[in-house]
Each structure stands twice: as C-alpha cells, then as structure tokens.
Amino acid sequence: MAKLVIRLHGKKFMSVDLVDGKQYFAGRDQNCEIPLNNQKGISRSHLKIFQKNEIWIAELVSRYGSL
C-alpha cells in the first residue's frame, strides 16, 4: 500500500493511505477525498490521483492552475 503525504508550506498537512484500484480527487469540493480548502488557486476538483500499471499518477483535472 502506498501513502500520500500532503504538505502545506513545508509542514505535513495530512496523509492518505492509497488503496490499490481506487482513485482520489483533491480540491475545494466537499466531496473530494483530499480536501484543499481555503487555498488560493485551487479548483473545486483540482487533481485526480489514480493507479495505472501499478504506478500512482497525479493528474491535473483543473483547467486553471498547475500541479
């Protein structure tokens, strides 16, 4: 099992145990598995994190902003 560690300004903000075969969304929307509230430049659904060929990938799904 993989673990995703999210840092904000260099400090650990949260960590998520990634389950094989599951996808995760990060953003401001309350339905996102990884909430990124109150951060300038973050879309409601900003990133998708998923597994492909046993490798975890973070993909930008927002039309604006960056990874």
Side-chain angles (χ1 to χ4, degrees):
M1 180 182 306
K3 180 176 280 208
L4 175 67
V5 177
I6 297 107
R7 296 184 179 275
L8 179 61
H9 307 296
K11 296 179 182 174
K12 184 177 175 181
F13 175 68
M14 72 180 293
S15 65
V16 178
D17 290 326
L18 301 176
V19 176
D20 290 346
K22 185 175 178 186
Q23 66 180 9
Y24 301 84
F25 285 91
R28 292 185 292 114
D29 190 287
Q30 58 185 233
N31 293 323
C32 287
E33 293 82 2
I34 303 169
L36 301 174
N37 301 329
N38 302 321
Q39 298 304 312
K40 186 177 179 181
I42 300 295
S43 300
R44 285 185 293 270
S45 184
H46 199 82
L47 295 172
K48 179 170 85 170
I49 299 165
F50 61 99
Q51 195 176 33
K52 184 176 181 181
N53 298 326
E54 299 182 20
I55 297 172
W56 286 97
I57 298 169
E59 180 180 83
L60 183 66
V61 292
S62 172
R63 293 191 300 176
Y64 308 103
S66 61
L67 196 61

